[in-house]
Amino acid sequence: MARPLRIEFPGAFYHVTARGNEQKDVFKSQKDREKFLAYLATASERYGAVIHAYCLMSNHYHLFVETPDGNLSQIMRHINGAYTTYFNVKRKRAGHLFQGRYKAILVEADAHALELTRYLHLNPVRAGMVARPEDYPWSSYRGYIGQAEPPNWLRTGFVLDTLAPGRAQAQKTYRRFVEDGRQSQNASPLQAVVAATLLGSETFVAEMTERHLRGKRTDRHVPALKKLVGRRSFEAIIAGVEGAVGEHADLVNKLSLHFCHRYSGASLREIGARFNMSEAAVCQASRRIMLRAKEDEGVKDLMSKVEQELGLLRVET
């Protein structure tokens, strides 16, 4: 089984999920959910976990968590391990409760915290469990909108303080924001996750890759690592193209677009924005330069030179 890629450092934010083994329920009673929340509290007290939002479904859970000490693995061992022990003892069972390893996505919080918490709080609505998110008692939503006093380990301020200076007004604004999402059925922000590991801008992905992954040995058992270290930022790719193409100035933009499309791992929308064209035009332009390379050895050689200079690995977009 492929191992998930873990990037841990002080101050990191994550969207964490874990599912029941064989998709079976991990929460079967009110006491189960209360016990799990108690383990979130002890994770905060003992290991410094900052829980910004949560949602406990039936066979899985969602957390939006910050790690001031850079110790996500320690935090999750405590939460999942303690809860598994409780669940197994209570029901006289043995073995794994959760399916494989938990999934942790490193998040550019300033850009995505608001949408991510909305997505998290709307989970019970999308699943058809309730009509409105405030009707679901096992998420942090009521604490966000002032319908319930949040526990002292739940930090709603990180999100709410960005919406309005006063807490009451911020709660109203957040409620409208979530309601808008419920009615419009906005796409999940997790659709923009890169290599099942990072959620953020192109700059954020490039920075995290350079700071925490570059130079690590790629491992076939951690495909996300190979995918990420094979990425390059738009700026790095364009600079490489300019250096390789030299006097063939007319090819710089065409080759830059092609290599960004093929190797950056960025979405078509991001590439189109960078080169001021539509998503469809990006694909067409990239395909045209590939066809030209098949007919023109000079262009083919230039493309090979760029690949060698940057040490590029193709990643899927």
Side-chain angles (χ1 to χ4, degrees):
M1 177 184 293
R3 298 199 307 271
L5 177 61
R6 303 283 189 234
I7 302 175
E8 298 189 12
F9 59 90
F13 289 78
Y14 302 90
H15 172 247
V16 179
T17 59
R19 293 188 175 275
N21 202 20
E22 300 177 340
Q23 301 293 313
K24 293 180 179 178
D25 286 352
V26 295
F27 304 112
K28 295 187 175 185
S29 68
Q30 177 175 326
K31 180 62 180 297
D32 289 349
R33 290 173 169 84
E34 291 173 346
K35 198 69 174 177
F36 187 87
L37 295 181
Y39 292 131
L40 295 186
T42 54
S44 175
E45 295 166 2
R46 298 179 189 176
Y47 304 110
V50 179
I51 311 297
H52 291 286
Y54 68 86
C55 184
L56 313 186
M57 301 295 280
S58 296
N59 67 354
H60 68 284
Y61 65 79
H62 296 262
L63 302 176
F64 181 37
V65 59
E66 179 185 0
T67 59
D69 297 326
N71 57 339
L72 180 68
S73 296
Q74 184 183 47
I75 290 166
M76 296 311 302
R77 277 197 302 270
H78 168 71
I79 294 172
N80 282 355
Y83 184 74
T84 296
T85 298
Y86 151 79
F87 191 93
N88 285 354
V89 169
K90 180 178 180 180
R91 293 178 171 83
K92 298 180 174 59
R93 68 183 296 277
H96 297 292
L97 176 62
F98 294 102
Q99 178 180 300
R101 301 172 178 89
Y102 63 89
K103 182 177 181 180
I105 297 169
L106 181 63
V107 178
E108 185 178 18
D110 289 343
H112 290 279
L114 186 60
E115 283 198 12
L116 188 59
T117 58
R118 175 168 70 178
Y119 165 80
L120 185 152
H121 288 143
L122 285 174
N123 256 262
V125 177
R126 287 192 299 271
M129 301 171 74
V130 293
R132 302 176 303 173
E134 59 265 36
D135 295 334
Y136 193 71
W138 303 112
S139 83
S140 47
Y141 183 65
R142 291 179 176 179
Y144 266 75
I145 63 173
Q147 282 196 358
E149 183 68 25
N152 57 16
W153 48 265
L154 177 65
R155 308 291 180 83
T156 62
F158 180 78
V159 172
L160 293 179
D161 290 349
T162 66
L163 299 176
R167 183 53 53 91
Q169 184 57 47
Q171 290 170 338
K172 291 179 181 178
T173 302
Y174 184 78
R175 185 170 188 169
R176 286 196 300 270
F177 176 71
V178 173
E179 184 63 23
D180 288 344
R182 183 177 72 88
Q183 295 179 355
S184 63
Q185 297 294 312
N186 287 351
S188 165
L190 300 181
Q191 290 181 0
V193 172
V194 175
T197 304
L198 298 171
L199 175 60
S201 64
E202 177 72 19
T203 300
F204 174 77
V205 173
E207 180 183 350
M208 293 298 101
T209 300
E210 290 296 331
R211 184 184 300 177
H212 301 287
L213 302 178
R214 192 73 65 197
K216 285 191 174 183
R217 183 176 65 85
T218 56
D219 188 329
R220 63 185 178 89
H221 297 299
V222 189
L225 176 57
K226 185 174 182 179
K227 180 173 287 191
L228 284 168
V229 298
R231 292 171 57 93
R232 293 293 187 275
S233 68
F234 291 158
E235 291 72 20
I237 289 174
I238 294 169
V241 170
E242 291 174 343
V245 171
E247 67 273 16
H248 303 279
D250 60 312
L251 288 175
V252 169
N253 196 60
K254 295 176 181 177
L255 289 175
S256 293
L257 181 146
H258 168 71
F259 279 105
C260 286
H261 176 226
R262 190 178 182 190
Y263 293 104
S264 72
S267 68
L268 291 176
R269 182 190 302 175
E270 291 171 322
I271 298 169
R274 176 62 178 78
F275 290 89
N276 194 28
M277 60 176 60
S278 69
E279 296 178 20
V282 169
C283 295
Q284 293 169 0
S286 182
R287 185 163 53 248
R288 280 197 297 269
I289 198 66
M290 280 292 292
L291 292 173
R292 181 174 173 182
K294 291 180 179 180
E295 300 173 352
D296 188 330
E297 287 295 325
V299 174
K300 183 178 180 180
D301 290 344
L302 287 174
M303 293 175 73
S304 296
K305 188 175 179 180
V306 173
E307 291 175 342
Q308 293 172 1
E309 183 169 329
L310 293 180
L312 292 170
L313 298 169
R314 184 171 184 177
V315 299
E316 298 301 323
T317 58

